[in-house]
Amino acid sequence: MDIVVKGRNVEVPDHYRVHVADKLSKVERYDQKIQRIDVELFHERNPRQAERCQHVEITCVSRGPVVRAEAISGDFYSALDLASTKLEQRLRRAADRRRVHRGRRAPVSVAAATAGLGFVEPPPLESAVLDGAAEQQDDEPWHIVREKEFSSEPMTIDDALYQMELIGHDFFLFHDKESGRPSVVYRRKAYDYGVITLAP
């Protein structure tokens, strides 16, 4: 398992990298298929946000779903503690979902179900769009600083809600298996969910 620590507009000291590796070495017990953990640090420059100026984002890349957690605090150590706690909860929930709870029936393994399919190289998870012009205009709110690209395999609404909860976002864009159209599930204020579907 590789742990990659990088900073956006902040230098990451070596002792913090060691602390991150110690802290995140425990999460492998929830998922043995984790290939890489990306940890991104971000410092908010606004002096009014001094108590919420350090932002830590952790992304686990495995052969299963991508699991993500983020936290904001006054220093990077407490933000890392909060984010790693959220990450452990989400990984525990994903591991619990994979476990068979009724009877002694075991589900068909993914390897057995996909044995007849050819291997397809997945697209890169994320590509940053930061060129020289965008870095010079860092304080202006209207430029794109990040683009993400995900696979568009068809899934049900329940699977999309599960993926949304794992990555910790308030919405999730997916290809609906039943209608065959692009759709978005999102979290509403009253602890329920909504779906937006594009018309044909």
Side-chain angles (χ1 to χ4, degrees), residues 19 61 66 79 87 113 143 159:
H19 179 69
V61 180
V66 174
L87 183 72
H143 65 278
D159 290 338

Side-chain angles (χ1 to χ4, degrees), residues 5-44:
V5 183
K6 55 187 174 182
R8 281 195 291 164
N9 74 6
V10 66
E11 284 290 325
V12 182
D14 290 336
H15 62 86
Y16 190 79
R17 292 178 193 274
V18 171
H19 179 69
V20 168
D22 290 341
K23 190 81 173 170
L24 297 179
S25 62
K26 303 169 190 168
V27 301
E28 199 170 12
R29 67 180 173 217
Y30 298 111
D31 189 355
Q32 301 296 322
K33 298 176 182 175
I34 294 177
Q35 299 167 340
R36 189 179 78 239
I37 297 178
D38 292 327
V39 180
E40 190 168 349
L41 310 177
F42 178 73
H43 173 73
E44 175 62 53

Side-chain angles (χ1 to χ4, degrees), residues 12-199:
V12 182
D14 290 336
H15 62 86
Y16 190 79
R17 292 178 193 274
V18 171
H19 179 69
V20 168
D22 290 341
K23 190 81 173 170
L24 297 179
S25 62
K26 303 169 190 168
V27 301
E28 199 170 12
R29 67 180 173 217
Y30 298 111
D31 189 355
Q32 301 296 322
K33 298 176 182 175
I34 294 177
Q35 299 167 340
R36 189 179 78 239
I37 297 178
D38 292 327
V39 180
E40 190 168 349
L41 310 177
F42 178 73
H43 173 73
E44 175 62 53
R45 295 180 183 156
N46 188 346
R48 293 183 195 160
Q49 299 287 334
E51 296 170 0
R52 298 172 48 85
C53 63
Q54 312 296 13
H55 182 99
V56 174
E57 182 178 302
I58 305 172
T59 306
C60 284
V61 180
S62 71
R63 283 179 266 165
V66 174
V67 181
R68 188 178 156 278
E70 61 182 301
I72 300 172
S73 184
D75 62 285
F76 282 125
Y77 287 95
S78 58
L80 179 67
D81 290 343
L82 293 170
S84 63
T85 302
K86 287 181 186 177
L87 183 72
E88 285 186 23
Q89 290 172 349
R90 290 175 182 160
L91 285 170
R92 191 179 304 121
R93 193 179 316 141
D96 188 50
R97 184 175 169 132
R98 286 191 304 266
R99 194 173 301 127
V100 177
H101 292 283
R102 283 178 247 114
R104 295 177 179 241
R105 299 180 304 273
V108 177
S109 71
V110 174
T114 60
L117 302 175
F119 179 74
V120 177
E121 187 68 30
L125 276 179
E126 178 180 316
S127 62
V129 187
L130 289 175
D131 57 2
E135 288 178 2
Q136 292 173 357
Q137 300 175 349
D138 196 27
D139 57 337
E140 297 174 355
W142 55 80
H143 65 278
I144 297 172
V145 295
R146 181 181 290 180
E147 284 186 1
K148 292 186 179 181
E149 186 175 305
F150 295 95
S151 62
S152 62
E153 59 187 43
M155 62 178 68
T156 63
I157 293 176
D158 288 338
D159 290 338
L161 289 170
Y162 174 65
Q163 294 286 338
M164 181 183 76
E165 292 295 334
L166 282 181
I167 61 175
H169 284 176
D170 292 329
F171 67 94
F172 188 79
L173 175 66
F174 69 103
H175 189 87
D176 193 352
K177 186 183 276 187
E178 295 172 7
S179 68
R181 295 182 289 184
S183 302
V184 173
V185 290
Y186 62 95
R187 186 178 292 114
R188 295 170 50 88
K189 293 180 182 176
Y191 300 106
D192 51 0
Y193 301 100
V195 180
I196 299 173
T197 305
L198 292 179

